[in-house]
Every structure is written in structure tokens, then in C-alpha cells.
Amino acid sequence: MIIGVPKEIMHGENRVSSTPETVKKMVNDGYKVLVEKGAGLGSFYLDEAYKEAGAILVDDPKEIYEKANVILKVKEPQFNEKYQLNEIELMHEGQILITFIHPAAPVNHAMVKKMAEKKIVGLTLDGIPRISRAQSMDALSSMSVCAGYKGIIMAADDIAQFMPMVGSAVGVLKPSTVFVIGTGVAGLRAVATAKSLGAVVYSADIRPEANEQAKSLGAKIIETGVPAEIAVSPDGKHANKLSEEWLKIEREHFKEIVAKADIIFCSALLFGQLAPVLLTEEMVKTMKPGSCIVDISIDQGGNCAITSPGIRDIKHGVTIEGIKNIPGMLPASSTWMFAHNIYNLLKYLVKDDKVVLDLNDEIVSSILVTDFDGKILHKGAIEAMGLK
């Protein structure tokens, strides 16, 4: 089996899907590994290290897409300016793509349909279920740790004041107020980072257990007004999708803290679905000039109604970070974590030198977006596309 590792082409993306360490593991497992020259430079992994690990270095990514059975990527296929083609156009029928696809996000619907049309098998890393046997494959959690930490650092740079309380000869400057929406893996890291920087931290989550974890880190809890029996799935693992009526109630509970927050960190996600809109444009207008929103849920649509996907923007005097690859700003740490996650998933899926997709397996059924027959199977994507 041939594994392909192309260089990421999204602007500013410095991560790579495999390190020399994981390439060596794949080679030892009996795979041939093709790595595009320069693929690891942004993460400080040099070509020579890949070569020593047993990789075959390739100049032209077209060769990788032409020859590989499995493509390992960090981000979903992008438009390649050099060839004036989307990376999907370089792929072929029966090829397996393992990456973050975010198939429910509207911006990716055309791409998913194209994958199905070409009978490219898509496995999305944001679908890895939160179960014990899948922990070592959970790239979303790994990247969320990075996004939670770096997102708060970005916000601290964006605002024009201190994060901690600071005393001076002319008086005391109050600490910044941070409001974290959604305290999963990313949100909890954001809470911990903001607290360590001296901010006053508030947080909100519709899951009681998540609130308890945030409280243990020092956050002051903002009630959402949503009962637990409506908010949480029967198995207790995930937040439920709320009706517009309940979302309105949640937004009402947030209005006071939104108006006084210096930083709002948005990380409320629904498993495999579009993120809920919890900040409307009218709510953003109530924020103080010079304040900041970091919307790390933008890959799944965003929690803020006016976040511009992929860019840093200023609207109504508020800096809104819609950057899609925040973990890529910590390329060494995030690549090391990601590469091990994706290798562990690949090893789990391969039986007798080929990828086996057993739909009765919870991990497979959760990550499979398109199959060998050209069908779209991802529930969140089907719902978002209105294909039911």
C-alpha cells in the first residue's frame, strides 16, 4: 500500500500530516510512503529526516496524488494556485483521503459532492467518537488543546489592555474579562490559559459536567437557561442540537456578560454538525470598542453570526478572529500530536494491507463521509445539505 503525504497549501498552514517518526512506523508496517519535498519545513521537520526514516521524497504533488492509495492531510482539499486546480481534481477514483473535512459546513458542500462524484473515499477526523478506544486517534481533541491555548494568546495580542490587574503609580488597571462559550477540550484550555494570564474568566456550556470542569479551573459559570434533559444526548457524551427557541433563550442569558467582556472565546460545537450561532450581530454591537472575539468553531460554521471564515476582521469596533488553522500557529507541537493521531487511525483501519471500512464499527461509521460507491453517508452533511 502506498501512503501519500503532500505539503499543505492553505495560506499560513505550517503543519504536516506525518513526521519522520510516524513515517518510520509506516515503513516498518510495510507501506511505501511518498512525501512531498518541503512538506515538513514549516514544522521544522527536514527532508533529510524523512529520507532517513524511509520515505521517498517527491518533487511534484501530482505524482503523490497519482500513485498513492491513501492520502494523509491536515486540512481539507484546497485550491492549488500553481496548477489552477482544487486538490480534489488531482485525486482519483478509489483513493482514500484522511483529513479534517468538516463535511457539514456549507463552504465544504461542493467539495464533498465532488468527492462523491469521483468516488473518492473521505474519512473526516472531526468525526472520531469520544470513546476510550478512539482516544489515541482523536485529532480534534489534540488540535482543540492547541486552539484553546493559542486562541487566548491571539486575543491577548488583539486587545489594547493588560490581561491581569496591574498596579501603577497613577492607579490600578482592572484585569480583562474573558467569556468562554463552550467548555469542551478547547474551551477548558482557554479557561486555564486566560486564568494563568490573570484575567477574570466566565464560561458557559449547556452540559452540566462541562460547567463543573470549567468551575474547577476557576471560571465563573453563566447559566444558559437550557435544562440538562434537553441539552445533553441520552448517552451523556455530546451536546444536543437546540431549536431556535432554546438558542434565543441561551442568547438572552449571555447578553449581560457579552456587553462587558473584553474577550469572547467561541468553541461551542455539535458533533458532526453545524456549530450553533450564539452571538448575533446585535450582540456584537453591544461589545466595547477594542474588544475581541476568537471564533474557533468557524470550521463548522462559527458561533458568531458575523465571523468571516479564514480571516481576522474588525466589525463594529470588535476584532473577530476567524482564522481556520490556529493550531498551525503552534506547528511543532500540533504536528507531533496530529501525526500520531492519524497514524493510529490508519493502523486501526488497515487489515491485510488494505483499508477496511466496517460500517458496523462506531469509529468507521462516524468518520465516513463518502464511500467507494460514490455515496454521501455522513449524517451531519446529509442534514446540512438537505439531502434527506
Side-chain angles (χ1 to χ4, degrees):
M1 188 164 66
I2 301 175
I3 309 296
V5 180
K7 180 179 173 64
E8 297 295 320
I9 59 174
M10 175 182 273
H11 178 70
E13 180 56 80
N14 290 315
R15 289 172 292 175
V16 61
S17 60
S18 300
T19 64
E21 183 181 355
T22 58
V23 165
K24 186 174 182 178
K25 289 182 177 183
M26 288 187 279
V27 171
N28 289 340
D29 289 338
Y31 313 148
K32 181 186 287 187
V33 184
L34 307 181
V35 176
E36 184 178 350
K37 287 183 179 178
L41 292 180
S43 301
F44 307 100
Y45 294 107
L46 305 182
D47 288 345
E48 189 60 34
Y50 285 104
K51 188 175 180 180
E52 289 176 3
I56 299 170
L57 296 177
V58 177
D59 288 304
D60 192 340
K62 281 185 175 180
E63 182 180 346
I64 292 178
Y65 285 108
E66 179 184 328
K67 293 181 177 179
N69 306 109
V70 179
I71 296 291
L72 305 181
K73 275 182 54 61
V74 177
K75 300 299 292 185
E76 71 272 17
Q78 306 287 315
F79 184 75
N80 189 309
E81 293 182 1
K82 178 180 177 181
Y83 298 117
Q84 290 296 298
L85 290 172
N86 190 286
E87 288 173 306
I88 284 291
E89 299 294 340
L90 300 175
M91 299 182 70
H92 57 77
E93 181 177 337
Q95 201 163 42
I96 296 169
L97 171 66
I98 305 178
T99 187
F100 282 114
I101 298 174
H102 300 292
V107 69
N108 292 330
H109 289 177
M111 177 189 68
V112 171
K113 290 176 181 177
K114 188 67 176 179
M115 289 172 62
E117 180 186 318
K118 295 193 70 172
K119 296 184 179 179
I120 296 164
V121 178
L123 302 175
T124 187
L125 295 168
D126 55 295
I128 298 288
R130 298 284 170 82
I131 56 178
S132 58
R133 65 191 177 94
Q135 284 181 347
S136 67
M137 315 167 198
D138 191 356
L140 184 60
S141 289
S142 295
M143 297 305 98
S144 293
V145 170
C146 299
Y149 168 79
K150 190 63 175 180
I152 290 296
I153 301 299
M154 290 165 56
D157 278 341
D158 284 338
I159 61 174
Q161 62 190 61
F162 289 112
M163 288 283 277
M165 180 176 69
V166 172
S168 75
V170 291
V172 174
L173 290 89
K174 294 180 180 179
S176 295
T177 297
V178 176
F179 178 37
V180 177
I181 303 177
T183 48
V185 176
L188 290 174
R189 176 46 54 189
V191 167
T193 304
K195 285 292 292 182
S196 70
L197 291 174
V200 176
V201 183
Y202 296 81
S203 72
D205 199 295
I206 59 176
R207 300 165 296 172
E209 183 180 345
N211 286 326
E212 286 301 314
Q213 291 175 320
K215 189 176 180 181
S216 72
L217 293 174
K220 301 176 182 181
I221 306 302
I222 301 295
E223 295 298 326
T224 64
V226 182
E229 60 270 21
I230 292 174
V232 185
S233 62
D235 61 9
K237 294 179 182 177
H238 305 293
N240 283 330
K241 182 178 180 179
L242 300 181
S243 67
E244 183 58 32
E245 288 73 20
W246 282 114
L247 288 174
K248 286 180 180 177
I249 291 171
E250 197 171 358
R251 292 181 198 122
E252 282 297 320
H253 281 74
F254 290 171
K255 280 185 175 180
E256 184 178 344
I257 183 62
V258 165
K260 74 176 187 178
D262 299 296
I263 293 170
I264 299 180
F265 184 88
C266 299
S267 60
L269 295 173
L270 296 172
F271 186 69
Q273 301 183 60
L274 285 175
V277 176
L278 299 172
L279 292 179
T280 64
E281 184 168 9
E282 291 305 311
M283 293 168 75
V284 175
K285 287 179 180 178
T286 69
M287 295 179 68
K288 295 178 285 187
S291 52
C292 174
I293 296 169
V294 178
D295 193 351
I296 72 161
S297 66
I298 191 61
D299 270 323
Q300 289 177 228
N303 291 146
C304 176
I306 58 172
T307 303
S308 298
I311 65 171
R312 175 183 182 273
D313 209 353
I314 298 177
K315 296 179 180 179
H316 309 298
V318 177
T319 299
I320 304 177
E321 295 278 6
I323 303 300
K324 284 192 166 192
N325 62 332
I326 293 176
M329 297 177 178
L330 293 168
S333 296
S334 57
T335 286
W336 185 86
M337 297 166 77
F338 182 90
H340 282 85
N341 291 142
I342 205 168
Y343 168 76
N344 290 334
L345 175 59
L346 181 66
K347 191 170 181 66
Y348 177 81
L349 294 173
V350 173
K351 307 287 189 297
D352 298 323
D353 203 38
K354 66 178 181 178
V355 174
V356 177
L357 302 176
D358 178 6
L359 288 176
N360 293 316
D361 185 316
E362 183 180 358
I363 296 174
V364 174
S365 63
S366 295
I367 65 175
L368 187 58
V369 179
T370 51
D371 67 4
F372 289 106
D373 296 322
K375 295 177 183 176
I376 298 173
L377 299 178
H378 189 274
K379 292 179 181 178
I382 291 170
E383 181 181 335
M385 291 179 186
L387 299 178
K388 283 187 175 180

